[in-house]
């Protein structure tokens, strides 16, 4: 990997960061036994991985999100043997300008509450953070231009949320409740919650929206489709046998132009992915077709255990 440079296109071999898949990667424990995170940019055309060093004092178990030309690393934990669990959640926030990599990371305004493993989304110049692992507050929102954090109004009922999904065409964030299977929408333009479905069982820790259809992977490679306009589930038909069954911890990511990618770290600690096309068929269902006969392996310069696209 080349060293940092103020010219981002030079650092990424002539590609702009927005053309690459951003991923937060969990590395295997080192000799000190600690698990660390890395910020990676994946070029699917060349099958290359570009690694940007994390902030030297960044905590573990944090989450990353991109907004405009910036990447933010939010929350996490630090060791504290004096606590019952051996760690404390933190409210740290770090920012990286992809147009000025030479400047490196800088610490910015901290969240209102410490959060470990927070769920994070960005929309219209704001970052939305949702509770995870028992935070004191359900959520909060960061106005980047104003450099201020404000509490996020909670939904009508207390919920233990899955990974939220951005539905930008309707200025809302979809949130699914683990316990009751309720599907809520938070409309961030008017700061209000609406219950979309009382029982919505088709959800996983990875989901994506393409052309008004919500896609999730459940039950070992069962691709589920839900029409957000008609509020009904759609049958999915594959043009050929799926090349591989993604594990439950695989992550789903929208590439654009009716394409999705599912990626995971296999049992040999190697990153693999499959790319497939999706479109509506004449029968009112969804047709899906993988672009290759087997999972594609990406050469990685270091051992990894988990990966999350953002």
């Amino acid at each position: 990997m080349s060293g940092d440079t103020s010219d981002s296109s030079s650092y990424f071999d002539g590609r702009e960061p927005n053309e690459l898949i951003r991923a937060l990667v969990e590395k295997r424990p080192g000799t000190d036994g600690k698990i660390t995170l890395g910020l990676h940019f994946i070029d699917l055309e060349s099958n290359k991985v570009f690694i940007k060093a994390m902030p030297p004092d960044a905590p573990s178990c944090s989450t990353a999100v991109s907004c405009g030309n910036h990447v933010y690393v939010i929350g996490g934990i630090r060791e504290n043997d004096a606590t019952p669990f051996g760690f404390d959640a933190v409210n740290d926030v770090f920012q990286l300008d992809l147009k000025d990599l030479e400047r490196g990371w800088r610490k910015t305004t901290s969240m209102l509450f410490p959060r470990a493993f927070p769920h994070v989304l960005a929309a219209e110049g704001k970052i939305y953070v949702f509770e995870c692992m028992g935070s004191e507050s359900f959520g909060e929102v960061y106005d980047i231009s104003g450099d201020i954090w404000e509490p996020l109004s909670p939904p009508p009922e207390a919920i233990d949320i899955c990974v939220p999904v951005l539905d930008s065409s309707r200025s809302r964030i979809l949130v699914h409740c683990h316990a009751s299977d309720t599907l809520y929408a938070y409309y961030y333009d008017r700061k209000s919650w609406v219950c979309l479905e009382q029982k919505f069982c088709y959800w996983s820790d990875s989901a994506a929206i393409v052309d008004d259809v919500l896609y999730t992977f459940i039950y070992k490679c069962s691709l589920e489709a839900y029409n957000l306009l008609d509020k009904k589930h759609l049958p999915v038909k594959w043009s050929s046998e799926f090349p591989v069954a993604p594990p439950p911890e695989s992550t789903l990511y929208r590439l654009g132009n009716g394409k999705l990618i599912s990626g995971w770290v296999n049992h040999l600690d190697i990153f693999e992915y499959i790319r497939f096309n999706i479109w509506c068929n004449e029968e009112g269902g969804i047709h899906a077709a993988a672009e290759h006969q087997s999972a594609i392996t990406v050469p990685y310069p270091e051992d990894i255990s988990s990966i999350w696209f953002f």
Side-chain angles (χ1 to χ4, degrees), residues 17-85:
N18 289 339
E19 298 177 300
L20 309 177
I21 292 182
R22 297 166 298 277
L24 191 65
V25 173
E26 184 177 89
K27 305 175 188 178
R28 284 293 178 188
T31 55
D32 57 2
K34 294 182 179 179
I35 297 175
T36 58
L37 297 175
L39 175 62
H40 294 188
F41 296 82
I42 304 171
D43 185 350
L44 298 183
E45 291 186 6
S46 64
N47 234 23
K48 286 184 178 181
V49 178
F50 303 90
I51 299 176
K52 185 70 181 72
M54 294 286 277
D57 52 347
S60 59
C61 303
S62 53
T63 306
V65 66
S66 61
C67 188
N69 294 318
H70 296 86
V71 170
Y72 295 82
V73 172
I74 298 175
I77 62 174
R78 285 199 175 92
E79 294 183 1
N80 185 353
D81 294 335
T83 63
F85 297 103

Side-chain angles (χ1 to χ4, degrees), residues 167-172 174 183 185 187 195-197 200 208-215 225-234 280 284 286:
D167 185 7
S168 57
S169 64
R170 295 172 184 80
S171 301
R172 67 185 184 181
L174 303 185
L183 180 64
Y187 290 85
C195 178
L196 299 182
E197 276 208 28
F200 188 86
I209 296 175
V210 180
D211 297 332
D212 299 318
V213 177
L214 172 69
Y215 294 93
Y226 177 79
N227 190 308
L228 294 168
L229 293 178
D230 300 333
K231 294 186 177 181
K232 66 178 183 179
H233 299 280
L234 304 176
C280 294
I286 298 298

Side-chain angles (χ1 to χ4, degrees), residues 21 208-211 253-261 275-278 291:
I21 292 182
I209 296 175
V210 180
D211 297 332
Y253 182 83
R254 176 184 174 181
L255 293 174
N257 298 321
K259 295 184 179 183
L260 291 172
I261 179 175
R275 187 168 55 218
F276 52 96
N277 297 282
I278 47 176
E291 292 189 354

Side-chain angles (χ1 to χ4, degrees), residues 5 53 78 95 217 242 277 283 301:
T5 171
R78 285 199 175 92
Q95 181 198 73
F217 264 126
F242 210 54
N277 297 282
E283 291 77 28

Side-chain angles (χ1 to χ4, degrees), residues 3 11 29 36 43 64 75 101 106 116 190 199 204 207 249 261-262:
Y11 179 76
T36 58
D43 185 350
L101 293 175
R106 72 180 186 90
R190 56 180 187 260
K199 285 294 179 181
S204 69
E249 63 273 14
I261 179 175
S262 178

Side-chain angles (χ1 to χ4, degrees), residues 136-157:
E136 299 176 51
S137 164
F138 171 78
E140 52 191 288
V141 56
Y142 177 55
D143 186 331
I144 296 175
S145 62
D147 189 28
I148 185 172
W149 287 92
E150 295 180 337
L152 184 67
S153 60
E157 62 174 299

Side-chain angles (χ1 to χ4, degrees), residues 239-257:
S239 60
S240 60
E241 184 178 350
F242 210 54
V244 66
E249 63 273 14
S250 63
T251 178
L252 195 63
Y253 182 83
R254 176 184 174 181
L255 293 174
N257 298 321

